[in-house]
Amino acid sequence: MASGAAAGGGTDFLGVSALAYLEGTAVSETRSLVAELCRQFYTLGWVSGTGGSITIKVYDESIPRPHQLIVMSPSGVQKERMAPEDMYVMSGDGTVLSAPSPKPYPNKAPKCSDCAPLFLKAYGMRNAGAVIHSHGMESCLVTMLHPFSKEFRITHMEMIKGIQGHGYYDELVVPIIENTAHERELTDSLSAAIAAYPKSTAVLVRNHGIYVWGDSWISAKTQAECYHYLFDAAIKLYQLGIDWTSPSHDHLTGCQVSTRITGLPNGNLANNLTRQCIVLDIEGTTTPISFVTDILFPYARDNVRKHLMLTYDDQETKDDIKLLHAQVQDDLEKGISGSVPIPSDDVGKEGVIDALVANVESMIRADRKVTALKQLQGHIWRTGFKNNELQGVVFEDVPEALRKWHADGIKVYIYSSGSREAQRLLFGNTSYGDLRKYLSGYFDTTTGNKRESQSYFEISFSVGVDEPSQILFLTDVYQEAVAARAAGVEAIISIRPGNAPLPENHGFRTITSFSEI
């Protein structure tokens, strides 16, 4: 057995002798598996030049996953030549229990992977069973296609089905964080990305590579293969001039449409604008405010307790509760009215749910635009749409406008305070059918506050336009239009029944129907 910090038999893991556990079949097989996968990934170009790493939890159904041992490949070694005894074995909290013995020159002294802090974040925040860090060329180059974008997006590709929680028609969104000189310095930005993108199973590091996790090593490996395929496809489509982010995969040059705008409030003409993208608000723009306030919000409020009771032990709901915990704690510190402390699990499931329901109801009454609420509402609404208790509502001019813009090669995106999932549900289940085929992507509060100009800069980076002015933003909210204009985005205000009145001399063009665009 390799040398280690816990080679003795005095330490127990939930009643299991440390020595017996470390020398057991499960750990031995996992060591061998990591070595085998490293050899395989080397042939794929994922771990060449000693880069990249793999870690797998030692499965034992009698031990909760957070307490299961971790096997991790070392740093700075030839990955294709590693043997089972070269692996580090760690406890669930990252304590090294077994380290490899030194090898003679020219081998370097053993060193735990520099990725270890990042792996532990994926384990802790996603309850993962395995994490893969690849330096595959595709995962590096794809972050350079739009060097300021904070996300990689792709849709309508078969291999998207291989990513957990996604189907062919879904848009796959992978966050991109900026590289640093030392891998461990990525820990905070990786944590922030994991928290901001609860549906993602990967994080890209610009000019570097990707971290992918899954419930098991098979899940992580399968998804890593699918991600690399999709990245390679995006790069090749880019070379062919084809837009991988559009459902119809139009030619990139085909999305530039010259549009003449007349009749602006200030009397000026904006001639020969090259409009590449249209970004739509939902409430009061594509959809009556009454649908949101009188149908969606009450449905979420009336079903929140039932939803939490039925799904309390599901990982998705656990993630929702974790986000709510963080939001409520912040609200309490700021003295937000209606916030109540959420007790620990010791009080029992019903006590925790009582506090969660109280906070959610207060947030709904105040129409809070916070990710924790919007994400939970989206999951509740998903059940409503699935059970045919809800149907998406859009104004009658919206479907035809979406069809026309799509036919003209203009990419259309949604930017709403509702979660991306809620957006897809609404447009995927309307009385006019599934309208998602006309949409190229979705933005929500993870992009930023809709009343802050930085959010519109982020969107312009993500959709890949040369200038923010190539984007048209349609909204019913004056403050959002102001923020978009400050970022250089063209903004038009939607006047619909039930919308709030606008300030006098607001200075924006207004429309009452999308047919006016």
Side-chain angles (χ1 to χ4, degrees):
M1 174 181 160
S3 62
T11 304
D12 284 353
F13 300 99
L14 302 180
V16 180
S17 166
L19 182 58
Y21 198 171
L22 287 171
E23 294 186 339
T25 302
V27 171
S28 175
E29 291 178 347
T30 306
R31 287 173 177 266
S32 297
L33 176 60
V34 172
E36 178 187 346
L37 290 174
C38 281
R39 288 192 294 273
Q40 181 179 349
F41 293 165
Y42 177 82
T43 65
L44 296 173
W46 295 3
V47 294
S48 58
T50 78
S53 191
I54 309 171
T55 174
I56 300 175
K57 285 214 167 182
V58 180
Y59 179 72
D60 187 328
E61 62 181 8
S62 67
I63 298 177
R65 179 165 288 174
H67 300 289
Q68 290 173 358
L69 294 188
I70 297 169
V71 173
M72 191 176 299
S73 62
S75 179
V77 299
Q78 306 294 316
K79 296 295 193 298
E80 79 281 14
R81 296 180 60 84
M82 287 195 309
E85 59 268 20
D86 294 326
M87 304 304 161
Y88 280 82
V89 182
M90 311 163 81
S91 64
D93 64 3
T95 302
V96 175
L97 305 175
S98 175
S101 300
K103 291 185 175 181
Y105 178 85
N107 294 286
K108 293 183 177 179
K111 178 185 176 185
C112 191
S113 174
D114 290 336
C115 306
L118 293 90
F119 287 151
L120 291 174
K121 286 294 183 182
Y123 280 139
M125 298 179 71
R126 284 289 179 267
N127 197 31
V131 190
I132 296 169
H133 175 43
S134 164
H135 283 190
M137 183 65 73
E138 309 94 326
S139 63
C140 182
L141 292 180
V142 81
T143 66
M144 302 179 184
L145 298 183
H146 297 305
F148 299 105
S149 176
K150 302 297 184 184
E151 299 169 334
F152 167 79
R153 292 167 172 264
I154 192 167
T155 188
H156 286 63
M157 294 286 287
E158 179 67 14
M159 292 297 271
I160 293 176
K161 291 161 59 175
I163 307 301
Q164 181 179 315
H166 290 76
Y168 173 76
Y169 295 104
D170 289 326
E171 181 188 42
L172 175 66
V173 181
V174 184
I176 302 174
I177 61 177
E178 300 303 320
N179 196 28
T180 57
H182 302 286
E183 203 119 18
R184 60 183 177 275
E185 295 172 354
L186 292 168
T187 306
D188 289 344
S189 55
L190 180 100
S191 300
I194 291 175
Y197 293 80
K199 293 299 182 184
S200 181
T201 57
V203 172
L204 281 160
V205 183
R206 198 182 311 280
N207 306 345
H208 182 148
I210 187 172
Y211 286 84
V212 182
W213 55 88
D215 293 336
S216 66
W217 71 269
I218 293 178
S219 173
K221 175 178 177 290
T222 300
Q223 292 184 89
E225 291 169 347
C226 291
Y227 279 118
H228 283 81
Y229 175 97
L230 292 166
F231 299 153
D232 186 44
I235 293 165
K236 287 175 176 161
L237 289 170
Y238 178 80
Q239 293 169 336
L240 294 170
I242 297 174
D243 182 8
W244 62 94
T245 68
S246 168
S248 57
H249 295 153
D250 300 317
H251 281 275
L252 289 168
T253 54
C255 67
Q256 296 185 356
V257 179
S258 295
T259 306
R260 183 180 179 87
I261 307 291
T262 61
L264 295 178
N266 59 11
N268 295 327
L269 297 180
N271 295 324
N272 299 320
L273 279 177
T274 303
R275 179 179 296 152
Q276 294 190 21
C277 303
I278 294 178
V279 178
L280 302 174
D281 173 48
I282 293 180
E283 185 179 353
T285 302
T286 67
T287 300
I289 289 177
S290 59
F291 173 69
V292 178
T293 58
D294 299 345
I295 298 176
L296 288 184
F297 284 179
Y299 185 90
R301 182 194 63 225
D302 296 343
N303 287 275
V304 61
R305 183 181 298 277
K306 176 182 177 182
H307 175 81
L308 291 173
M309 289 293 291
L310 291 176
T311 65
Y312 190 78
D313 294 322
D314 294 353
Q315 186 57 49
E316 180 178 79
T317 298
K318 289 180 180 178
D319 292 340
D320 290 346
I321 292 173
K322 186 180 295 185
L323 272 180
L324 284 167
H325 262 287
Q327 183 63 55
V328 170
Q329 184 60 38
D330 185 61
D331 290 348
L332 290 169
E333 292 173 0
K334 293 178 179 177
I336 301 294
S337 177
S339 304
V340 298
I342 300 175
S344 66
D345 293 337
D346 296 340
V347 305
K349 172 179 173 180
E350 292 192 5
V352 173
I353 289 177
D354 286 343
L356 290 169
V357 170
N359 282 287
V360 169
E361 290 179 343
S362 175
M363 291 177 184
I364 292 175
R365 284 194 300 271
D367 192 18
R368 299 281 302 281
K369 311 294 187 183
V370 292
T371 301
L373 171 64
K374 298 304 179 181
Q375 179 173 304
L376 177 62
Q377 284 178 320
H379 296 152
I380 297 172
W381 291 331
R382 179 179 59 200
T383 301
F385 282 106
K386 182 178 179 181
N387 295 339
N388 295 318
E389 296 170 349
L390 293 172
Q391 184 178 56
V393 175
V394 296
F395 293 110
E396 61 181 3
D397 54 277
V398 171
E400 181 57 34
L402 292 178
R403 280 190 288 268
K404 179 180 182 301
W405 294 335
H406 184 265
D408 288 344
I410 298 177
K411 295 191 291 184
V412 182
Y413 296 85
I414 304 298
Y415 182 27
S416 171
S417 58
S419 68
R420 289 191 180 104
E421 181 169 23
Q423 297 171 30
R424 289 194 292 266
L425 288 168
L426 191 156
F427 289 100
N429 298 274
T430 77
S431 58
Y432 299 94
D434 188 345
L435 301 178
R436 291 176 299 176
K437 58 191 171 191
Y438 304 122
L439 302 175
S440 294
Y442 309 86
F443 297 95
D444 60 11
T445 52
T446 60
T447 300
N449 190 301
K450 294 182 70 181
R451 301 189 180 196
E452 295 178 358
S453 59
Q454 182 60 35
S455 302
Y456 300 90
F457 281 116
E458 294 293 341
I459 288 175
S460 68
F461 293 147
S462 292
V463 301
V465 295
D466 293 327
E467 298 290 341
S469 59
Q470 294 172 318
I471 301 173
L472 168 63
F473 177 52
L474 295 175
T475 179
D476 67 308
V477 180
Y478 169 72
Q479 293 87 346
E480 294 176 4
V482 170
R485 176 182 281 179
V489 171
E490 180 192 1
I492 294 177
I493 296 182
S494 170
I495 306 296
R496 301 284 196 176
N499 287 10
L502 295 173
E504 292 185 11
N505 303 317
H506 54 76
F508 288 92
R509 180 189 175 195
T510 63
I511 60 168
T512 59
S513 168
F514 283 2
S515 62
E516 300 173 43
I517 302 296

